[in-house]
Every structure is written in structure tokens, then in C-alpha cells.
Amino acid sequence: MDIPGTALSRIFVNIYCLYMAVWVLITVVLYLCANEVVRSRSRITGFRGPKGLPVVGNLLDVLDHTAQKCQQWAKTFGSVYQIQLANTTVVVVNSASAAKKLFISNSQALSSRPLTYTFGKIASSSAGLTIGTSPYDDSLKRKKKGAASALNRPSIQTYIPYLDRESRTFLEDLLHYGKGGTIAIDPLPLIQRLSLSLVMTINWGVRMPSHEDELFKEITEVEEELNRFRSMVGNLQDHIPLLRMNPFNRTSTKARDMRRRRDRYLNKLNADLAEKVAKGTDKPCIQANVLKDAEAKLNEVELRSISLSILGGGFETVSNTVQWTIGYLALHPEIQDKAFEAIREFQGSDGQLCDAADDLKCTYVAALVKEALRYFTVVPLALPRESIRGVEYEGSLIPTGTTVYLNAWACNYDAELWSDPDVFRPERWLENPDAPLFTFGLGYRMCSAHLLAYRELYLVFMRMLRTFRLKAGGDVRCNPRSDMKNPRDLIMSSKPYRVFCIPRDRERLKQALVAAKAGDEE
Ligand code: HEM
């Protein structure tokens, strides 16, 4: 029987396709087998941990609410154990005492950061790494030194006029957009404007005057997306290398897009500042100081890394802490009343605007700030670390190159430290002022700006609670265990809500704000 030419070539094509499919299948199976051997060899001897599935290990168990899941596992496996996020073996530290032993006693050994694929290699490939994502090397030491001198106590003193102005604008916004307490508002954009404007002023000497500004919208959208790429579990390709080969990978495409958009505003902010420096019209700020300092040892990439770190580190962390706390306080008028009385007693006068230079002297509000930082622990797994030397823990060795997570959430809620960790109670910090707080991490890579963050949160709460009563406008949910907007994010924000911001004395507040603004203009 004759077979026509087209039918013959179709048969050949089918055989060829079948042949290729078999080869692809064999290659994938061989790869997966080899990968399982690699994964099982990477387990660390002496550390227990939950059993995982082939290929993904424990990754699917911890995709959401990672810190809480790890806290639960600690009941079975002890406070320090290992998990496998597909190909990444991680030692997780879940108690206050273990965290102190590991991160303080071995501060140098745990001083590096692992380089992640999505954030480190794709989203940061043009602008470079932030300090918080840089591995340990000489360049990191220079960048940390630069950031430390910009964020130490004497430098913070020079930012007080900025703190003063931004926190006053925040009160003005609450008054204006809340129509004097008559309508319920979503406070998040107003909070974000406050923290964004502060980091922009400190770094580039320019303000963000309104949340209606186009640049505000662009920065908040891009930074929120970038926060997602920094998730320690949410980007599967970080832990499953095979997924990186997919040319249509939507995560990588989006990461590149966000990188381009971030480059655009960073370049503009930097170019505008360079122009002002050239004309001599710049305002004092970190970037201008370094640009003018001929002795500065930082190169352009390092200088850029500091900008990125101040923007990336100081914007969402502070915003989300304030967002959770306002929602919580709106549901707890008794805490607002205590704070109001404490402020009045501390001030000894009827002034509306608390002193911007006061350094956490009103003890109740300082305790409220600490409790908000503990209770909401907005970066529940701190930032990942990598060991640069072997570290011994209770007779077992964490080898060089191991990823280590500090479960700041579990440490802040450690039942050995607190008998009532699940209760929001500022008084605990008055009873036990030296108790440890893990929200800013520990050791060499601890948050570079914790002093600034305390000052900012304190002044915002002092001024807001002195001048406003907060009341829930509908269904406000602020349980940090369950009410996060996206439980995979690196930095947790709460679900959106609305509050009434009712001025305690509208006329006097307005007068005080107008008088202070006149002072600025003079
Ligand atoms: C509520 C506010 C804040 C929280 C909860 C927070 C939290 C953290 C955490 C958990 C780390 C990692 C610590 C570790 O690995 O042990 C960190 C690092 C860092 N933070 Fe913050 N932060 C806050 C505010 C800020 C602000 C306002 C800035 C800048 C203006 C900032 C800049 C940085 C930098 C540069 C690092 C990297 C330090 C390093 O890797 O050596 N943070 N922060």
C-alpha cells in the first residue's frame, strides 16, 4: 500500500515529537532524582525538623503565616530546628534565649545575607542591593558605616525639624480628609505619606507633600510589589531552581518591570539632587553630604545602595506599624484614654503639639510604642542571615553558608519571656523595661535605624493621641495572627479599614497648626 508523502511526513513528525517528549521526561526524572540526593545531603546533622515532600520539602506548609507555622513546629522540634524550603535548608530560631545565644554570641559568624534569586538577582540587578540584602564583604562594611553615621543619635537630632514638620502634616491630613471627624477614612495613604516624606527628606532633601501626588502613587505601588519579591517563601523560584528556566515566568517578568519603574524614580531623585548641589541650592541630607564629601570612600553603587536601603527599610516598616496600631487603638478607647492622660500629665500644660525634641520621655507612650512593635512584629521573620563560619549550637554545628531565620514573631511572643504574650499591654514595658524586643533583629545586622524608628513612632503617637480620638468606622480587624492583607509578604500590613479621627479640640488644634506653619515659613 502506498503512503502519500504528506501522511508520511506527519508520521515522522509524530515519531520525532514522541521521541523528544520521552527525552524531556527522562531528563526531568533524572534531574529530580539528582535533586533529591542534593536536598537530602544538604540536611544538617544534629538538628531535628519536620518531614517534607519530595521536590518542595516544607515549602507548601509555610507559604502563608510562615512565622506562626514555625512557632508551632518549635513545640515538637525544639526552639532551633531545620526546615527545607525545596532546595534551601534553613535553620529557624524560635525562642528569646536561643536567639540571644546565636545572634549575639555569634554576631560576626551570622553576619551575612543569602542572595535570593528574585529580589537579589532580578529586581536589584541594575540599582544594586540594599544594605539589608547585601552579603558580608568590604563593600557592605563601607555601606553600613555610611548608614550608621547617618542614622546615629547625633544625626537624628538634626532630623528633628523634619520629624516635627511631617508629624504636623499628618495631623493636618487627619483633620482635613476626616472632615473634622465626621467621616471615616482609610488612614493608610496618610500614614504612608508621612513615612515616605520623612525618608525622602532625610535622604534627598525633598518632601512628599501630598498622597495625591503622582510620584507618591508610583513609589507606594512599586515598593509594595518589591516587598512581595523580598518574601522569604512567596517566590517559589527562589527555592526551586527548575522554575527559573521557564521563559514565561510571570514573577521574573514582573520583578524586571518593577526594577525599571524603581530605577526611573531613583534616577530622577538623584539627578534633581545633583543639579541642586551643583547650583548650591540643596538642603542638608544624606546623599548631598556624601556627594560633597571628597574624602568619602563610597562609590556610586554604594551611595545608591544607601538610598535604596533608607527608602526600602524605612517606608513600609514604619507605615505598617502605625497602620496596625491605629486600627487597634480605635477598638480600644481605654488605651487611648490612658495615653491621653499620661501625655497631659507629662506635658503639664494644655499645648496641642507635643515637643518634637522630646526623646521618649513620656513613659506610657514610649511603652505603647514598644508594645506596638512587639505585638504587631511587622517583619515577623526579620531578614534572612547566612553563616560565614560554622556556629555551634548545643553540641551540633550549623555549617558555613547555612541560611538562618530569626523568628522575631516567636521570640516576641515567647511564653518563657511573657506570661501573657497574646495580650496587648503597654504596661509590661513599665514593669520590665529591660526585657528584650526582637522586632529590629539582633547582632551585627540589626536594623540600622531603630533609634530613628522609635523617635518617629513616638512623636506620631504623642501628637495623634493628644489631639484626636480614634473610633472604628465599621468592621476594623487588627488581629496580627489573622488579619494581615497578604500573609506571604515580608513586611505585614493589616487589611484595610476605616476610622473616625475626631479632634479633641478642633479650633485649638487648627490654631496650633497654623501658628507652627507660620514658624516654618519664617
Ligand atoms: C518599625 C520600623 C522598622 C522595623 C520593624 C525594622 C525592622 C528591621 C529588621 C527586622 C531588620 C533586619 C535585622 C536583622 O537581620 O537582624 C532591619 C534591617 C535594616 N533596616 Fe530596619 N526596620 C524599621 C525601620 C527602619 C528605618 C526607618 C530604616 C531607614 C531609615 C531602616 C533601615 C534598615 C537597614 C538599612 C537595615 C539593614 C541592616 C543590615 O542588613 O545590616 N529600618 N530592619
Side-chain angles (χ1 to χ4, degrees), residues 134-402:
S134 297
Y136 181 84
D137 59 16
D138 285 341
S139 170
L140 172 82
K141 286 196 248 168
R142 284 194 295 276
K143 292 187 287 195
K144 271 184 77 73
K145 212 168 155 202
S149 75
L151 296 164
N152 63 16
R153 234 177 249 284
S155 298
I156 291 171
Q157 281 306 112
T158 67
Y159 307 144
I160 287 171
Y162 304 155
L163 283 166
D164 177 28
R165 189 156 172 180
E166 297 310 338
S167 54
R168 275 191 279 120
T169 309
F170 179 58
L171 301 186
E172 270 168 24
D173 283 352
L174 292 181
L175 203 54
H176 174 74
Y177 291 99
K179 301 217 180 318
T182 56
I183 58 163
I185 50 166
D186 172 2
L188 184 62
L190 313 184
I191 301 167
Q192 287 175 319
R193 188 220 59 83
L194 160 83
S195 53
L196 179 58
S197 198
L198 187 71
V199 290
M200 283 175 59
T201 319
I202 292 173
N203 197 56
W204 289 284
V206 284
R207 294 190 69 217
M208 176 53 72
S210 163
H211 70 277
E212 292 173 25
D213 198 297
E214 280 309 310
L215 182 60
F216 171 88
K217 290 180 192 153
E218 178 65 3
I219 296 182
T220 44
E221 196 182 313
V222 172
E223 293 298 322
E224 194 177 327
E225 288 295 342
L226 287 170
N227 173 15
R228 254 161 231 146
F229 298 129
R230 290 170 74 188
S231 164
M232 279 139 84
V233 289
N235 303 296
L236 298 186
Q237 54 178 355
D238 285 349
H239 307 291
I240 308 178
L242 198 60
L243 297 181
R244 297 174 202 168
M245 291 175 185
N246 174 5
F248 308 108
N249 188 318
R250 295 225 321 263
T251 311
S252 301
T253 312
K254 199 162 184 191
R256 280 188 203 99
D257 184 36
M258 291 304 136
R259 181 185 73 200
R260 269 190 291 273
R261 286 170 62 181
R262 186 178 63 175
D263 284 352
R264 227 173 286 146
Y265 58 73
L266 278 180
N267 289 341
K268 167 119 181 61
L269 287 163
N270 289 339
D272 288 354
L273 178 64
E275 197 181 315
K276 284 184 194 151
V277 170
K279 287 185 188 154
T281 57
D282 57 295
K283 301 235 166 68
C285 64
I286 297 172
Q287 296 291 307
N289 288 349
V290 187
L291 277 177
K292 286 183 218 169
D293 183 356
E295 298 290 300
K297 302 260 182 337
L298 294 173
N299 61 37
E300 204 180 313
V301 175
E302 291 163 349
L303 188 58
R304 216 177 154 84
S305 169
I306 294 183
S307 297
L308 284 176
S309 312
I310 290 189
L311 185 60
F315 170 45
E316 291 219 281
T317 48
V318 174
S319 298
N320 291 346
T321 307
V322 177
Q323 185 206 18
W324 282 104
T325 312
I326 288 185
Y328 190 88
L329 291 175
L331 297 172
H332 292 274
E334 73 288 358
I335 303 179
Q336 294 185 54
D337 291 345
K338 270 192 194 170
F340 178 69
E341 285 313 322
I343 297 168
R344 290 252 301 222
E345 196 179 308
F346 169 75
Q347 272 187 315
S349 77
D350 229 13
Q352 294 285 300
L353 300 177
C354 308
D355 180 7
D358 160 26
D359 189 2
L360 295 109
K361 292 282 178 347
C362 176
T363 48
Y364 185 80
V365 176
L368 177 68
V369 168
K370 258 190 160 175
E371 184 63 348
L373 286 163
R374 181 196 74 85
Y375 191 72
F376 297 111
T377 314
V378 294
V379 199
L381 283 180
L383 300 179
R385 300 286 187 93
E386 191 175 282
S387 53
I388 54 169
R389 279 199 296 277
V391 176
E392 209 213 286
Y393 181 76
E394 295 193 343
S396 300
L397 182 76
I398 302 173
T400 307
T402 305

Side-chain angles (χ1 to χ4, degrees), residues 455-474:
R455 286 294 286 263
E456 187 177 355
L457 293 169
Y458 174 80
L459 185 60
V460 170
F461 291 148
M462 283 289 278
R463 288 188 158 173
M464 180 181 68
L465 294 169
R466 169 65 188 86
T467 52
F468 287 92
R469 246 186 229 105
L470 307 167
K471 205 175 118 210

